[in-house]
Each structure stands twice: as structure tokens, then as C-alpha cells.
Amino acid sequence: MIPPLDGHSQVKRRKGIPMRALIPNAVTVLALCFGLTAVRFGIAGEWEKAVLAIVVAGVLDGIDGRIARLLKGSSRFGAELDSLSDLTAFGVAPALIVYLWSLQHVPGLGWVIALAHAVTCALRLARFNAQIDDAPQPHKRAGFLTGVPAPIGAGLTLAPMAISFWLEPMFLDDLQIRAAVVAVVVVIVSVLMASSVPTYSWGSVRVRPSARIAALAGVGLFAGSLFSAPWMTISLMCIAYAVAVPFAWRSYARAVRRAAADQPPA
């Protein structure tokens, strides 16, 4: 006969990690797997699948934190796992893909330039982890991010590939020209990821009540174009973000001046 569990045993049995805490971590692991799968597609020369795998990893990375907050499953373990996943999916994987696609044709410097993307991504994530317990940073208080986020940096680095899938420009068939274009893009993106340049975040975006219907219609059109013309949509998104960086800098400077003017004199 099995003896009944006493109260102490029941308490011990209830201890453990709740399922709601594992769901966001599982999404993060999926993002990591898609990043590694992108490398596999890159080695096989399946470039479109490689870029799409990075895009899927970016989508998963964008929702895992929101799922964790929704389910109240946020943890320090999840934050560390997310950083390791980001480094793999948005630092190492894009660096290897662009190296195999173009930078290997730059003698000597090609691998160094590819490493620049991975290294600056690691530095950005290390800076984020070091500041995670600090007081809110000036950019964050104003609703901006510091530097280009790792997923967006990966997208910008892979933007020449997406544009080539969309427009199929003849000049990119020349491997030397392709490598030169990618090298310039990778260097600029690497600098932006490691920099302290303020960039837009969802917290800094405001929609006027009168523009709500237009914004929702735009979301629907965006979803339709993403399915019907993915490479055009991804290319235009990357170009729009790159163009928005100097505007974000100006908006942040305006927000700082406004905050300084609102402060009462000492």
C-alpha cells in the first residue's frame, strides 16, 4: 500500500519550473535553431532560404520577450539565453552567410570584415547585459534605443542579398563589385551596432488617433506585400530603416531639448 503524501511532500512536489516560464525560452531556442539553419543553407548555397531563416529568427526574437511578459515568465535565465541566441542568429550566422556569398572574394580582408559584424554584435549584447540592472539610460527614457539592434543589424547586413533577389542587378554578378558593396554595408552596420547613436524603437512611435484607420490599412497592405513580394518588401524595409537613422538622431536631440526646457530652474 502506498502511503499518502504528507503536506511537506506535497509542497516539495509542487516546486519546479512552471510551463509558462518555459514557453518563451522555447521560442528563443527556436530562433537559435533558425539562425543555425540559415548557416546550413548558406553552406549549401541556398541563399534565399538562408536569408528567410534569419528573417524567421528575427520574428521569433521579437515575440519571445512579449510572450514572457504576457505569461509573467520573465527570468534572468531567459535574458541570458536570449543574448546567446541573438549572438548566434544575428551575429555569427549573417557574418558567415555574407562571407560565403561575397566577402570570400576579398583577399585577406573579407574574413576580417565578416568578423567585424559578429564582434560588434557581441559587444552590443554585452553592453546591453551590463546595463540591464542599471538605471534607465537616457535614450531609453526618451523612448529610443542605443545603436542598431542586433536583429535589424542582421537584416541590414543581408540587405544586399535581398535586393539582389528582388531586382537581380547585373552589376552584382561581378563578384568583386558584389564583395565591395557588401563590405561597405557590413562596415557601416557594424559601426552602427556598436555605436551610441539613438535609433527608433516601438516606444518612440506615436500614431495620431485620426490616422488609426490608415495605420491598420498599412499593416494589412504590408502583410499582403510580404507574402506576395517578400524580397521587395524586405528590401524596402531595410532601406526605410537606414534612411530613418539620421531622423531618429534629430528626433532624440529635439526630445532632449524639450526635456531640458520643461525642467524647472534650480
Side-chain angles (χ1 to χ4, degrees):
M1 180 176 180
I2 301 176
L5 294 174
D6 57 13
H8 180 67
S9 300
Q10 290 180 1
V11 171
K12 288 180 64 178
R13 206 174 157 186
R14 289 195 189 106
K15 288 183 179 180
I17 301 174
M19 182 60 66
R20 58 181 171 81
L22 292 178
I23 293 176
N25 294 339
V27 175
T28 303
V29 171
L30 282 177
L32 171 63
C33 292
F34 272 99
L36 293 174
T37 303
V39 176
R40 181 257 183 190
F41 284 135
I43 294 173
E46 301 179 73
W47 307 116
E48 294 189 7
K49 291 181 180 179
V51 177
L52 283 176
I54 297 295
V55 172
V56 174
V59 173
L60 293 173
D61 179 74
I63 65 175
D64 61 355
R66 289 167 176 80
I67 293 175
R69 289 189 290 271
L70 180 65
L71 299 178
K72 296 181 180 180
S74 301
S75 64
R76 189 57 185 252
F77 173 83
E80 296 296 336
L81 178 63
D82 185 71
S83 293
L84 293 173
S85 174
D86 287 356
L87 177 58
T88 303
F90 310 123
V92 176
L96 291 173
I97 290 170
V98 294
Y99 176 78
L100 295 172
W101 188 66
S102 62
L103 291 179
Q104 62 175 321
H105 302 290
V106 181
L109 290 178
W111 181 239
V112 175
I113 295 172
L115 285 177
H117 176 89
V119 170
T120 53
C121 182
L123 293 175
R124 173 182 173 78
L125 294 170
R127 180 178 63 185
F128 176 82
N129 289 344
Q131 296 175 347
I132 197 169
D133 294 326
D134 294 347
Q137 302 301 307
H139 293 167
K140 190 174 182 179
R141 285 200 302 267
F144 292 81
L145 299 175
T146 302
V148 172
I152 297 178
L156 294 176
T157 293
L158 299 174
M161 299 180 68
I163 293 173
S164 70
F165 302 154
W166 169 34
L167 298 176
E168 298 182 357
M170 296 296 296
F171 70 91
L172 287 182
D173 291 339
D174 187 318
L175 296 180
Q176 297 300 323
I177 296 177
R178 178 195 297 181
V181 171
V182 171
V184 172
V185 171
V186 171
V187 169
I188 294 175
V189 173
S190 299
V191 171
L192 289 175
M193 280 198 297
S195 71
S196 298
V197 174
T199 55
Y200 285 122
S201 70
W202 289 111
S204 62
V205 178
R206 295 289 185 270
V207 178
R208 296 178 181 178
S210 59
R212 180 182 303 173
I213 301 300
L216 294 175
V219 171
L221 293 175
F222 168 76
S225 63
L226 188 61
F227 282 103
S228 61
W231 299 124
M232 179 193 73
T233 306
I234 293 173
S235 300
L236 293 179
M237 285 175 56
C238 293
I239 294 172
Y241 185 90
V243 172
V245 170
F247 289 97
W249 199 337
R250 188 180 65 176
S251 298
Y252 175 73
R254 188 185 303 119
V256 170
R257 290 194 299 267
R258 189 184 304 118
D262 292 341
Q263 286 183 354

